[in-house]
Amino acid sequence: MQNNNKRDLILDAMQELMNESSNRAISVSDIAEKAGIGKGSIYYYFESKNDIIEAVIERSYSMAIRKSKELVSSTDMDAFAKMEIIFRACLEASSELKRQEECGSFIEIQQSALIHQKFMTFLIKNMKPILSDIIRQGVFEGLIQCDYPDEIAEIVLIVMTVKLDNHIIPSSPNEIRDLLYAFSLMQSKSMGISMKSLQFLQQ
């Protein structure tokens, strides 16, 4: 219990530092000072600062992943209703990251890039098996034509997270809208999905 508490102290400290207005990178010493523990203690729980960032992101967005899993397990929704849930979850997660950025916490460029990378990796890794199962459901229901659900799920999530995160390749709202429309059209033509069923991507 004590170990778990100290680990949480480290994550809480990192979260607070990320939410504070600062124009410099966060160091392990900063985290230790904020947590009120020795710097050496941090390396007992985490190998590097990057691992701490990854754990903070996982803790912050794991609830969204759990909710997505619970919702898509419902037998009362078709595949497209579940796809919209996944899209909304990615959109909400991206919006939350942007909200935290506006607090002035991610001004340091390299640190900001690392956080966005970890964020997108976390979403893609955890959402992929959920979306793969949804695509399989769509195939079973006769709504989708797809021979490679795992691979298609990864491609869809890469496009969505990169564009919704809007950090790696910054785009205007109109550019994002047009890209998502083109992406919907591509899915419609290649997977036999009606454009009407993908309207949630075109909003």
Side-chain angles (χ1 to χ4, degrees), residues 80-134:
F80 296 122
K82 294 180 180 181
M83 280 186 183
E84 183 169 358
I85 291 171
I86 296 298
F87 174 75
R88 298 293 177 198
C90 290
L91 182 60
E92 288 174 11
S94 296
S95 297
E96 173 60 18
L97 184 60
K98 287 173 186 153
R99 185 196 67 76
Q100 292 184 31
E101 266 191 322
E102 289 170 359
C103 296
S105 56
F106 305 133
I107 297 175
E108 206 279 332
I109 295 174
Q110 290 184 342
Q111 187 164 280
S112 177
L114 174 63
I115 289 168
H116 281 269
Q117 178 190 342
K118 296 286 186 183
F119 165 74
M120 287 186 285
T121 300
F122 174 79
L123 278 188
I124 293 168
K125 177 182 176 182
N126 287 276
M127 287 293 193
K128 179 181 173 181
I130 300 173
L131 184 55
S132 297
D133 285 344
I134 293 172

Side-chain angles (χ1 to χ4, degrees), residues 23-81:
N23 61 357
R24 64 184 180 84
I26 298 168
S27 68
V28 174
S29 296
D30 294 331
I31 301 167
E33 182 178 353
K34 176 68 75 172
I37 61 176
K39 181 178 176 180
S41 297
I42 289 180
Y43 292 108
Y44 180 81
Y45 299 94
F46 300 97
E47 291 185 3
S48 67
K49 184 182 74 174
N50 290 357
D51 289 339
I52 301 173
I53 292 174
E54 191 169 333
V56 168
I57 290 172
E58 182 176 348
R59 188 176 68 169
S60 298
Y61 299 106
S62 58
M63 183 170 290
I65 300 297
R66 285 197 301 271
K67 286 183 178 178
S68 297
K69 288 179 179 178
E70 291 170 4
L71 287 169
V72 300
S73 65
S74 170
T75 58
D76 299 328
M77 292 185 287
D78 67 22
F80 296 122

Side-chain angles (χ1 to χ4, degrees), residues 171-201:
S171 306
S172 70
N174 286 342
E175 288 172 333
I176 294 174
R177 182 199 61 209
D178 291 346
L179 185 141
L180 291 177
Y181 178 82
F183 187 53
S184 301
L185 190 62
M186 188 188 320
Q187 292 180 77
S188 176
K189 291 183 178 296
S190 65
M191 300 170 66
I193 303 173
S194 72
M195 286 294 284
K196 184 177 180 180
S197 299
L198 296 173
Q199 281 183 339
F200 61 88
L201 284 175

Side-chain angles (χ1 to χ4, degrees), residues 128 131-133 135-136 146-154:
K128 179 181 173 181
L131 184 55
S132 297
D133 285 344
I135 294 173
R136 289 188 180 91
C146 181
D147 295 326
Y148 302 97
D150 293 328
E151 290 76 11
I152 293 298
E154 186 169 350

